[in-house]
Amino acid sequence: MNQIILITGAGKGIGKAIAVDFAKASVNNVSFKPLLILVSRTASDLESVAIECRSYGAETDVMQTDIADITQIDQLITTTLERYGTIDCLVNNAGVGRFKAIDEMTEDDFDYTMATNLKGTFFLTQKVFAVMEKKRSGHIFFITSIAAETAFKSSSLYSMSKFGQKGLVETIRLYAKTCNVRITNVMPGAVYTPMWGEVPDAIKNVMMMPEDISAPVVHAYLTSPRTSVEELVIRPVCGDINE
Ligand SMILES: NC(=O)c1ccc[n+]([C@@H]2O[C@H](COP(=O)([O-])OP(=O)(O)OC[C@H]3O[C@@H](n4cnc5c(N)ncnc54)[C@H](OP(=O)(O)O)[C@@H]3O)[C@@H](O)[C@H]2O)c1
């Protein structure tokens, strides 16, 4: 039977690497048959990730969705349940960041950041958790950040949103423990992805790559069902690189 795995922000960066690594994990594992539901706002990105995942034998479905819009979240969940009847794994990866000094942050920066990182993540989790609670199984990953515990000068709004996501992680864990649902908080340091825009080579050379995050995520999903990997903190060897 297929494992229904919904990944937000699957079109680029860390989310794309997670989708591809789930697909690769099915190659030599007859008991793991993922059906990957790939979600982001850009259909063309998702189509190309879907082609790559299918090349490893995984099934895919592409659902163009802006998680900042609750109506679109409702549509995503309704369509998923109509087509597949359940959700076994949610990877809350979609996230945005605008990085600048605190006195340059605008109301638009605030609303844009919180709409995806907090509102979208909250309501998607609420709806998917209800499905998992009812069937008493499932696994929810949150790709938060080391910025969920550590402040950086250029990251005021991003850090607020990530500290907030950590609050959701800790709360949902209280519910999840009573119904056999696994919760994993993934806290990466700097990973070279499109989120960073242009990066000088000297910095790029010390950053992690998306597959450095996706490999432990897939491993945590496939580990013994007796076990919950509660937290993954993954930093570049040199430590944190932004201030
Ligand atoms: N890169 C890092 O150094 C780093 C470190 C720690 C944590 N993280 C976290 O890891 C996650 C992924 O980051 P990344 O670096 O891979 O970013 P990225 O390269 O910018 O990719 C983000 C993905 O999320 C999607 N997305 C953004 N807003 C969305 C929305 N409202 N609805 C649906 N999809 C949305 C984007 O696609 P569209 O724009 O097409 O929708 C894209 O596919 C984020 O939560 C980020 O905060 C990143």
Side-chain angles (χ1 to χ4, degrees), residues 11-78:
K12 298 185 182 80
I14 295 169
K16 174 181 174 178
I18 291 171
V20 171
D21 270 5
F22 268 125
K24 285 182 181 169
S26 68
V27 172
N28 291 317
N29 183 346
V30 283
S31 61
F32 181 54
K33 290 276 158 260
L35 190 150
L36 302 168
I37 300 174
L38 307 174
V39 175
S40 82
R41 297 168 296 190
T42 309
S44 54
D45 283 351
L46 298 175
E47 295 295 351
S48 76
V49 176
I51 289 168
E52 190 171 349
C53 292
R54 287 200 298 272
S55 75
Y56 295 104
E59 291 183 49
T60 60
D61 196 349
V62 161
M63 298 201 199
Q64 183 181 20
T65 306
D66 181 351
I67 68 156
D69 179 341
I70 293 182
T71 309
Q72 293 190 39
I73 290 180
D74 287 343
Q75 188 58 53
L76 170 67
I77 298 303
T78 303

Side-chain angles (χ1 to χ4, degrees), residues 11 23-24 37 59 83 111 123 145-146 152-153 157 170 172 180 183-184 187 210 223 227 231-232 242:
K24 285 182 181 169
I37 300 174
E59 291 183 49
R83 287 183 188 167
D111 292 343
F123 284 105
S145 173
I146 48 130
F152 299 94
K153 272 186 166 175
L157 293 177
E170 297 305 324
I172 203 78
N180 194 41
I183 303 292
T184 304
M187 304 173 72
T223 197
T227 310
E231 202 161 90
L232 291 167
N242 50 352

Side-chain angles (χ1 to χ4, degrees), residues 100-158:
K100 51 193 172 183
I102 196 162
D103 60 353
E104 293 169 11
M105 292 292 185
T106 64
E107 186 177 0
D108 181 67
D109 294 330
F110 185 99
D111 292 343
Y112 182 73
T113 305
M114 302 308 164
T116 293
N117 297 7
L118 285 184
K119 190 173 87 174
T121 302
F122 177 83
F123 284 105
L124 183 57
T125 300
Q126 182 195 54
K127 284 169 178 38
V128 173
F129 181 72
V131 174
M132 294 178 173
E133 186 177 33
K134 204 163 161 199
K135 66 173 185 155
R136 299 189 63 80
S137 71
H139 195 153
I140 304 178
F141 290 87
F142 293 82
I143 313 301
T144 63
S145 173
I146 48 130
E149 307 190 321
T150 308
F152 299 94
K153 272 186 166 175
S154 61
S155 305
S156 52
L157 293 177
Y158 183 74

